[in-house]
Amino acid sequence: MASSYTVKMPQLSDTMTEGVLVEWEKQPGDFVSRGDVVAQVETDKAIMDVEVFREGYLSGPLTPVDTSVPVGEAIAYLVASAEEVEATEAEAPAGGGEPGEGGGEAHAAEQPGQPSQPAASQPAPAQPESAAASHAPAGPAQPAPRPAGKKVTPYARVVARLMSVDLERVTGTGPEGEITADDVQAAAPAGAPAAQPAAPQPRKIPGEERDMSSLERAVAQNMQETLAMPLFRVNLHAHPERLQQAAKSMGVSFTVLLARACSEAIKGHPAINNAYQAGDKIVERSNVDVGIAVEAAKGGLVVPVLRDVNNRELTELAGSWKDLVDRARQRRLTPDEYEHPTIMLSNLGMFGIEYFDAIPVPGASAILAVGTVGEDGMGLTLSCDHRVINGADAARYLSDLKGLIENPDSWLEGGFPLIPEADWDVEVAILGGGTGGEDAARELAENGHSVALINDEALPGGECLWRGCIPSKAWRASANRMRDRAGDSLLGVEGTDKPRLNWQALEEHRREVLNNRGQMAFKADKGLKIDYRQGRARLTGEHSLAYTDAEGNEQTLTFGAAIIATGAPPFVPPIPGADLDGVETSNTIWDLAEPPKRLAVLGAGAIGLEMAQIFRDFGAKVTTFEVQNRVLPEVDGEVAKELGKLLEDEDDLTLHLGSKVTKIEGAPGNLTVHFSDSEGKDHQVTVDRVLMATGKRPQLDGLGLEAAGVDTEDGFIQVDARGATSAGHIFAVGDVVPGLMLAHTAATQGRIAASNLLGERTKYDQARDCGVIFTRPESAFAGLTEEQAKERGFDPVAAKTLVKIDAMAMIEGEEDGLIKMVVDKTTHRILGVHILADHADTLLGEAVMMVSGRLTVDQVAEAIHPHPTQTELFGDLARRLLGRLKRAAKKKARA
């Protein structure tokens, strides 16, 4: 050939020394252009395309398929005309050139000239791309990579590899600055091994021998390098069922979720992602690149790398992984797709292997070996480089990883359905038909899930409907009418200031309201195809329960998931005589034949104060006892203090704070309550009835929580912000969990639990909750108090305004109370609003939107409130607070 361009075996990575010709994409005589792929070659782990960067006609001699060719050796030629084409096949090379000789990393078409001759020396065995590093040690006689922009003798490269010298840092003394072996030895660190380039002769083993494939050579080289790692191992079991379920529900590979779990665990243990570098250095990395072993189509393992696992969306990772696996099995990966993982995974669980030792490649300090799933869970073995990771860190990492695997819903963005697929009697069983259970049931049923609602009453509604919110507000409404009559004369309305209570008429109306609402709820449940069952249920296993129906028959039910919403009954303290007839609770007070003339109330919380004022308005003389030195421990301290003062001024209502009831004796109509006051002096009072308003506590005995693996603490079921218990697929809401015991709280938590079972990521935040205590004036709150805000790390400021400055309050004669606003100084966000006022239940609506919507005091100050209304108080208060914050900011700036 008069003039030709040599198409050489390219060096496709910095450690590639040779390639195997897999297939010719073009044939002799084909015209090729710049960028065309003419052949495919196999490196140590991948099949790569060979591109040309000149145009011409492809000509022989062509390297035969399946021939191993050193980097830089000719595999074909380009000629200028079709007449010059030779359709011949080259002889397989007897030797090989040095890696990188005569070839750029990505350029296969080289300078004009005749085919280059094979170098005299044999090529060094290939090493895996994933272990590549210019300074990493290798096996005997393996040359170090050529430094960029420098000349170096072949022998110097071998010596550099043996003595762990980075050629990038060596200055050459040879001709034109060429680096020699003497330069390398002079630059070697103290104590470096002496150069011994001559490899020992291998022992001859009897039997048929063959050449190793490039992949086998890579593995062998890898093991030689890994011998330098001081490895240790830790192992344990983890139950992967939830993660497997998440993978199935989300349509994502289990391997991808496992890789993500490894990345999540690294957040708390960054040392796992570090690596050792020659020269006693530690490489710290923020990106988590997970190398995952995949079996290639023709045998052997390839380790594609899933990049940036800690930052990418799961859907994106899933798509990348599918593509990587498809091409890895055909060994068609680029070096960037299999080089330099920061942590590795290997899974042999499909072969029934419980535990095994996996070996990380240099550059990674840890590899997780995943075994099969047995009775104890899935075997996990973490192998670590002790130069980088100590035993305690490895143990803590593996323990945290176990937690993430078993509770993926705590970290998976987007969430996933938590209802396992199986032949259950019902998909979700709900224990309890109060607001929490009903709202959860309806949410699930409306989204197409089969739901059984097991409730211990004939109709749904729970405590709120039958013994709490609704019946008490019927009494409160009657008491309000009577109380309001006392103020009619202020507005010129006469002759109505001495109202008389018709108890029977009130009770008839109250019971009618309750029954109507119960029937409405029952019909709504039936309309949604909720399977309503009467009985008190108990869990008998992780996915089963039993209950006694209305006829006394024992029934069983299996379920995929469950929600516990059984509420909390009144708590009766161990006071002598607390079990006497005439001592009522918030469950039994509704059966009175007539209102008492004298009533003792134990407890000045929400229930106690509401009932105390209601019966006082009904005409009773009421004595209230509270062991604490304030009323309403659940509300803002200033609001409670102001309400306490107002109560002390009420006729026929006596309030004993800091007092303790020691004994009750007698019979209905003549009960004596013995108590000690705040100074320790003993007293007694005679009443018709006693109301125990000493709070509520869950009744967990008999629920079968242990059988289902549900943990409790201090008498409550322990849940996370989503309502999930330790059993994962079982949730708990309402009064059985710690926090506010309010009907709307239970309802909110029920909807949140249902939404998480449906695969949404919603959480309950008590800092955005609210409540109303129906005293007169009413006490209400939304969000945090100033003290609670400080505990949560805010820098709060608070301001208040008195209700009596409002025009409408003055007109209606309802001037008692205050409104208080708590704001974060930095963000101006409204953290809490606290109200003591008549109609606080209505005013609270705006406060709820401020807190829940995370509004700033600036926004409320700019809002236009209607006049004359009490909502104007919010705008006035916000403007005052904003002015104070601005003045403080200016003062700080001047300082």
Side-chain angles (χ1 to χ4, degrees), residues 690-855:
V690 175
L691 172 62
M692 287 288 182
T694 45
K696 299 185 294 179
R697 291 189 185 177
Q699 181 57 54
L700 303 183
D701 293 343
L703 284 179
L705 301 179
E706 291 184 1
V710 175
D711 292 342
T712 64
E713 184 177 337
D714 296 329
F716 291 92
I717 297 175
Q718 294 302 297
V719 295
D720 61 17
R722 300 167 305 111
T725 71
S726 55
H729 65 290
I730 298 177
F731 285 65
V733 302
D735 295 351
V736 294
V737 305
L740 299 174
M741 289 186 172
L742 301 170
H744 55 268
T745 299
T748 300
Q749 292 172 344
R751 292 190 296 271
I752 287 171
S755 67
N756 277 277
L757 286 174
L758 293 169
E760 300 173 14
R761 294 288 297 160
T762 54
K763 296 180 179 180
Y764 168 72
D765 182 3
Q766 186 169 313
R768 297 166 69 188
D769 208 339
C770 59
V772 181
I773 295 93
F774 289 85
T775 51
R776 287 290 302 266
E778 295 168 348
S779 171
F781 68 90
L784 303 173
T785 65
E786 197 171 0
E787 293 75 17
Q788 291 168 339
K790 289 177 181 177
E791 291 172 0
R792 287 186 172 231
F794 293 103
D795 184 13
V797 59
K800 68 178 180 181
T801 187
L802 299 179
V803 172
K804 66 182 180 182
I805 69 170
D806 178 71
M808 287 300 295
M810 296 171 68
I811 291 169
E812 296 182 4
E814 297 172 340
E815 301 181 34
D816 293 327
L818 59 90
I819 296 179
K820 186 176 184 179
M821 191 177 289
V822 180
V823 174
D824 180 52
K825 292 179 184 177
T826 304
T827 64
H828 289 197
R829 175 182 152 196
I830 298 172
L831 304 175
V833 179
H834 306 273
I835 306 171
L836 180 65
D838 286 287
H839 317 295
D841 56 339
T842 302
L843 291 171
L844 188 64
E846 182 167 339
V848 166
M849 298 309 297
M850 293 179 200
V851 173
S852 183
R854 293 181 168 85
L855 299 186

Side-chain angles (χ1 to χ4, degrees), residues 14 17-18 141 191 250 256 273 311 320 329 381 478 487 514 536 601 657 693 708 721 751 825:
D14 59 358
T17 59
E18 64 179 24
M250 301 172 73
V256 170
N273 207 44
N311 292 320
S320 295
R329 286 177 175 153
T381 301
S478 175
L514 304 189
R536 182 169 173 82
V601 178
L657 297 179
R751 292 190 296 271
K825 292 179 184 177

Side-chain angles (χ1 to χ4, degrees), residues 42 45 47 215 294-302 324-332:
E42 179 183 4
K45 285 191 177 180
I47 294 177
L215 179 59
V294 174
E295 189 173 17
K298 296 181 180 180
L301 293 177
V302 181
L324 284 171
V325 170
D326 290 343
R327 290 188 292 109
R329 286 177 175 153
Q330 300 303 318
R331 284 191 264 168
R332 293 179 178 271

Side-chain angles (χ1 to χ4, degrees), residues 174-235:
E176 299 181 354
E178 185 176 43
I179 299 172
T180 66
D182 288 340
D183 297 328
V184 174
Q185 290 176 338
Q196 299 291 337
Q201 292 297 316
R203 182 174 56 186
K204 190 71 175 176
I205 300 174
E208 296 289 331
E209 74 175 26
R210 64 170 174 81
D211 291 334
M212 295 178 79
S213 69
S214 59
L215 179 59
E216 289 170 330
R217 286 196 299 273
V219 172
Q221 180 64 37
N222 215 18
M223 295 307 97
Q224 290 177 5
E225 294 197 32
T226 304
L227 288 175
M229 280 192 190
L231 294 177
F232 72 93
R233 297 159 186 88
V234 292
N235 54 48

Side-chain angles (χ1 to χ4, degrees), residues 400-703:
D400 286 355
L401 178 60
K402 168 186 168 73
L404 294 172
I405 290 171
E406 294 181 344
N407 295 283
D409 39 303
S410 65
W411 54 271
L412 277 177
E413 65 270 18
F416 59 93
L418 296 176
I419 307 171
E421 295 183 8
D423 188 21
W424 312 116
D425 294 333
V426 65
E427 288 179 291
V428 184
I430 298 179
L431 287 68
T435 54
E438 260 210 308
D439 275 44
R442 292 177 181 179
E443 186 82 9
L444 290 162
E446 287 172 351
N447 282 276
H449 288 283
S450 61
V451 179
L453 182 61
I454 303 99
N455 189 39
D456 57 3
E457 295 178 285
L459 293 174
E463 180 178 355
C464 175
L465 176 58
W466 302 106
R467 299 173 299 280
C469 313
I470 306 305
S472 67
K473 299 313 163 288
W475 284 359
R476 178 73 265 176
S478 175
N480 282 347
R481 297 287 179 92
M482 300 179 73
R483 181 178 284 253
D484 290 344
R485 297 294 71 81
D488 283 352
S489 59
L490 179 67
L491 295 171
V493 179
E494 298 178 349
T496 63
D497 58 344
K498 292 184 179 180
R500 182 171 58 87
L501 176 66
N502 185 331
W503 180 256
Q504 284 69 32
L506 171 59
E507 287 300 87
E508 182 180 344
H509 174 64
R510 179 178 67 84
R511 292 191 176 97
E512 183 180 7
V513 170
L514 304 189
N515 187 67
N516 286 344
R517 289 192 63 82
Q519 291 291 346
M520 289 169 58
F522 182 73
K523 290 176 182 177
D525 292 345
K526 286 295 184 182
L528 290 169
K529 295 183 170 52
I530 295 171
D531 183 7
Y532 187 88
R533 306 186 182 196
Q534 184 178 356
R536 182 169 173 82
R538 67 184 184 281
L539 299 168
T540 56
E542 292 184 355
H543 293 278
S544 62
L545 62 80
Y547 66 96
T548 304
D549 65 20
E551 286 74 39
N553 300 315
E554 186 77 359
Q555 305 288 349
T556 60
L557 192 71
T558 62
F559 56 82
I563 299 175
I564 302 170
T566 49
F571 168 69
V572 178
I575 299 172
D579 56 349
L580 292 173
D581 289 342
V583 178
E584 311 293 345
T585 69
S586 57
N587 277 1
T588 64
I589 193 72
W590 314 106
D591 299 324
L592 294 178
E594 60 181 7
K597 298 300 182 183
R598 299 171 299 173
L599 176 68
V601 178
L602 274 63
I607 295 174
L609 286 192
E610 285 185 23
M611 288 297 182
Q613 277 197 317
I614 286 171
F615 281 102
R616 178 265 180 199
D617 291 338
F618 285 168
K621 292 184 181 296
V622 180
T623 306
T624 302
F625 304 95
E626 171 58 50
V627 295
Q628 298 190 49
N629 291 317
R630 56 168 282 184
V631 300
L632 297 183
E634 58 266 51
V635 306
D636 176 82
E638 195 168 3
V639 169
K641 183 178 180 181
E642 182 65 21
L643 178 59
K645 291 179 180 178
L646 295 174
L647 292 174
E648 289 176 354
D649 291 337
E650 288 204 355
D651 295 333
D652 297 327
L653 196 159
T654 304
L655 185 61
H656 294 285
L657 297 179
S659 64
K660 181 179 181 182
V661 174
T662 56
K663 183 172 61 173
I664 304 170
E665 55 186 2
N670 190 31
L671 290 167
T672 300
V673 178
H674 298 266
F675 66 98
S676 59
D677 63 19
S678 58
E679 297 178 354
K681 297 178 181 179
D682 294 331
H683 304 273
Q684 64 184 46
V685 61
T686 302
V687 296
D688 298 327
R689 291 189 181 268
V690 175
L691 172 62
M692 287 288 182
T694 45
K696 299 185 294 179
R697 291 189 185 177
Q699 181 57 54
L700 303 183
D701 293 343
L703 284 179

Side-chain angles (χ1 to χ4, degrees), residues 4 158 257 267 766:
S4 67
V158 172
L257 292 193
K267 290 179 180 178
Q766 186 169 313

Side-chain angles (χ1 to χ4, degrees), residues 144-210:
R146 182 184 301 280
K150 294 183 179 181
K151 292 185 177 182
V152 58
T153 67
Y155 182 62
R157 291 171 60 198
V158 172
V159 173
R161 177 68 79 179
L162 291 169
M163 302 188 75
S164 299
V165 172
D166 185 352
L167 290 173
E168 298 285 357
R169 301 174 180 272
V170 178
T171 301
T173 60
E176 299 181 354
E178 185 176 43
I179 299 172
T180 66
D182 288 340
D183 297 328
V184 174
Q185 290 176 338
Q196 299 291 337
Q201 292 297 316
R203 182 174 56 186
K204 190 71 175 176
I205 300 174
E208 296 289 331
E209 74 175 26
R210 64 170 174 81

